[in-house]
Amino acid sequence: ICITTFNRGKRVLENIPHYLNKLGNECQILILDNASVKESEAYRAVLDKTKNISSLKYLRKNANNQMQGNFFDCFVYSNTDYVMVLSDEDIPNNIEIKEAIIFLKNNPNIGVFKGSMTPMPSVPSKNSIINESKIYEKGYDAITSFGIWNNYISGTIYNTKIFKKCNLKHIFQKN
């Protein structure tokens, strides 16, 4: 699970117990700080927590490379077969993560799995949506039925084997 964050260290710190309660040590949790300039004390506290929790990692980048760069870095800095990109204001559904990973392992040609999210109780807006369970065909169906209407990336699980196979790292860097 790769949690992207910028200037919301208090929220990340507040959410760590929720992530750990939901996920335990079953998942690696990587927090990518996009060179935050606010809430430094909270981010230092997050870093301190990583010293005692082996499944929790924190990386503060030297420069803010915007959301698209932070999104891309989820693939650069993780070393797992699957990466869930998660906003610092959402909580993943643990049961769904387990089911998604089993599903993706049994269907190795599927590149993306959109999971359900629960916003933190302290978050005023409710960005979470409930999607129907469906496999979209590649091409037009996937783009129009999944890609275009699905603009909230938090909770999406990516198959990094396909990411590497299709050389998407190079394509993202180039474009």
Side-chain angles (χ1 to χ4, degrees):
I1 296 183
C2 191
I3 300 166
T4 59
T5 184
F6 178 69
N7 284 343
R8 296 196 291 203
K10 291 177 187 173
R11 183 164 289 157
V12 173
L13 187 60
E14 170 191 348
N15 292 352
I16 286 176
H18 296 284
Y19 302 140
L20 296 175
N21 288 340
K22 290 269 187 183
L23 306 170
N25 288 325
E26 296 177 38
C27 294
Q28 294 178 10
I29 301 170
L30 172 62
I31 298 168
L32 284 181
D33 178 358
N34 209 7
S36 295
V37 294
K38 298 178 181 176
E39 303 187 15
S40 299
E41 287 183 27
Y43 284 115
R44 279 193 291 278
V46 169
L47 179 60
D48 286 344
K49 286 190 177 293
T50 66
K51 295 173 185 171
N52 299 318
I53 303 168
S54 62
S55 61
L56 183 65
K57 306 290 182 216
Y58 171 79
L59 175 68
R60 176 180 161 68
K61 296 188 283 180
N62 294 325
N64 183 329
N65 57 358
Q66 306 301 315
M67 180 54 203
Q68 70 273 16
N70 218 14
F71 171 77
F72 175 70
D73 285 344
C74 291
F75 299 95
V76 172
Y77 292 108
S78 62
N79 58 359
T80 56
D81 291 339
Y82 306 98
V83 172
M84 173 186 266
V85 178
L86 187 64
S87 168
D88 56 14
E89 63 186 14
D90 294 324
I91 304 170
N93 178 331
N94 187 36
I95 294 169
E96 186 165 312
I97 292 172
K98 290 177 183 178
E99 291 174 354
I101 298 302
I102 292 168
F103 177 79
L104 289 168
K105 285 180 179 179
N106 291 332
N107 296 278
N109 291 325
I110 292 181
V112 181
F113 184 97
K114 176 64 177 156
S116 66
M117 304 307 307
T118 302
M120 291 301 301
S122 62
V123 176
S125 66
K126 304 294 184 204
N127 289 328
S128 298
I129 57 173
I130 298 173
N131 300 318
E132 66 177 312
S133 296
K134 182 179 178 185
I135 296 175
Y136 297 101
E137 293 297 321
K138 64 183 177 181
Y140 183 82
D141 187 36
I143 300 264
T144 58
S145 300
F146 177 82
I148 292 176
W149 67 263
N150 180 36
N151 65 358
Y152 193 64
I153 64 170
S154 189
T156 304
I157 301 172
Y158 298 88
N159 182 335
T160 58
K161 291 177 186 176
I162 291 178
F163 186 88
K164 291 172 186 170
K165 179 181 172 184
C166 296
N167 201 16
L168 291 177
K169 180 178 178 181
H170 173 74
I171 293 168
F172 280 3
Q173 286 175 320
K174 183 179 177 184
N175 296 307

